[in-house]
Amino acid sequence: MNEWLKKVAAKAKELWSKWKPIQKVILFGIIIIVIVVIVATAKVSAKPSMVRLFPSPVTNDTNLAKILDRINQENVEVEESEGYIYVQDKRTKTRLTAILNDEGLIPSNVDIWADYFDRSWSTTDADQNVKLQVKKQEELRKFIESYTDVQFANVSIELPPDKLFQEDQTPVKCSVIIGVKGNSDLLTNTKRIRGIHNAIIACVDGLKDENLIITDTEGVQKNDFAGMEASEAVDRVAKQQKLIVKRENEIRAKVLKGLQQTYTSDRCREIFVSVEMDMSDKKIDSTEYSPIIITPDNPNTPYDDSEKRDYLPWSQQTVTNEYTAQGWSPEGPPGAAGQNTPQYSDLSNVVGHSVQTGVTQNNVINTTQTSQVASPKIDRVTVSVNLDGTWKLKMDPEKKTYLIDDEGYRVREYTPLTPEQIKNAENQIKGAIGYNEERGDRVWVTNEAFDRDQQFKEEDEEYFAKQNRTRTIVLILIAVVVVLVGFILFRIISKEIERRRREREARLLAEQQAARERALWDAKEDGMEVTMSVEETRRMELQENAITMAKEHPEDVAMLIRTWLMEE
């Protein structure tokens, strides 16, 4: 094998040496192209196949944007092309379809089940119906269980055989049992149940609303929408009450924060707010007429110099009619006496002239038409707050101490709010709530002293306890100082007594040493033989050694003596 490899390598070298440069370049180009093709094929084969989220495109750009935004919240990778949305796999498709159906984001023109069930022509209709029934049950089960708060789902579909006559045809029926996780509102939320209901109706052909039953694990029907209207009305009232309470809490927090910054939280503890709201839907159409501004107001002048007109002529038409004729008064048929009065008879055969002038003018006025739906609307806001005055401790001007009453507590003086302060507080509350006198808003600010007996009692007890602790600490510190001073004096006196004792002993030793030396010297002069004891001999040796060392090392000896003195 090795010999064969050597022969192949030698043959390749021989051929390589015989090739021209252009042939080598062509070989390298072929190798690079093969590598690129292999890499591209690997990437294409490794890329997962994408499936459509909906079988038909989403044509409305607004709906498409909402759907893509909701999918991005789930951190799912999608692709969009010409209204079609592509996801990674069918499982992701089912989960996203359930989420979008739950939130009502699926467009009405999109059939989410269009590409789920394909009929085959290789089997009979009976087999097809059975397979179709099983597949629809399985797909509906997966679809419902893809909801995050659904624990399990059981779907049963009845597809009866076709009858010859319509009156003999058994209707299609479907029953669904849904088990949810704890703290889920799926079975109590009408909107979510209706979304599942509509999805099942769209999936099963021929299924009507009255033949679809959705129940919980206890067998209670949840898609009885006619019977849920009363419950929805109760829920609506509860939501309205929550809205009122929320509005009251917002006003209370806003007013309380402003007053506590001015009067402190201890003087403004609670605010009572009542909000009356009209929850009915009202459509209001109004027309407002305003003058036409010819010249706007100049903001640099202190007065209004604008020019306004109630109207402007748009078109005008003047019509003049002139009439000239002889007057005539009829007197009845010929041959009969006239019956006209003398006044009319005198006007007969008189020439008359009449002129009639009419002016028609079309004017332009400013008209603003407003149409709005007002719901909910605040009818009235009532705010009541009590502010406490100020309390000040009274002091003895001579002793500079607090005054104490007969019960042993400090004396306090109460200062109520002035009418101006109460008025300012009312104005502050009115500005915070958007006061509107026309709708009946009311604001009351009272000044009643809070019951602070327990608070003052605790403060005084703490004050006197603090004074006692301070007094005790001062006495302890004085005692500690006295003990320290006594100890220092004792140490000083003890050291002084010890110093004097050592000086006396040293003086005695020196006197004894001098006496011994004098005695030895006298005995030596008298020619007497002196015999010293062992202790005296040892003492003399030590003394001679010390003298010798002091002569040889005077600095060390001086340092040693200095150390002894410092220790003493």
Side-chain angles (χ1 to χ4, degrees), residues 506-522 543:
R507 188 170 54 254
L508 291 175
L509 290 175
E511 292 176 355
Q512 292 176 1
Q513 181 65 24
R516 282 195 296 272
E517 290 179 356
R518 191 170 47 256
L520 290 174
W521 182 260
D522 292 342
Q543 185 175 355

Side-chain angles (χ1 to χ4, degrees), residues 30 42-43 48 50 117-118 140 164 243 296 313 329 331 408 461 539:
I30 294 173
K43 287 186 176 181
M50 306 288 283
F117 313 111
D118 296 328
L140 283 174
L164 180 61
L243 180 61
S329 298
E331 296 185 0
E461 290 177 353
R539 183 185 297 273

Side-chain angles (χ1 to χ4, degrees), residues 278-295:
D278 183 7
M279 297 296 180
S280 59
D281 295 334
K282 294 181 179 180
K283 185 177 181 181
I284 301 174
D285 296 329
S286 60
T287 303
E288 180 181 354
Y289 301 96
S290 59
I292 298 175
I293 300 176
I294 304 300
T295 304

Side-chain angles (χ1 to χ4, degrees), residues 248-249 251-253 255-257 259-260 264-273 383-388 429 444-446 450:
E248 290 177 349
N249 291 335
I251 295 176
R252 183 181 296 107
V255 176
L256 188 62
K257 181 179 180 181
L259 291 177
Q260 286 182 349
T264 71
S265 59
D266 188 51
R267 294 175 58 191
C268 180
R269 300 180 179 179
E270 185 60 42
I271 293 179
F272 300 95
V273 179
V383 179
S384 175
V385 60
N386 181 49
L387 298 177
D388 193 9
I429 296 174
W444 289 281
V445 177
T446 59
F450 293 158

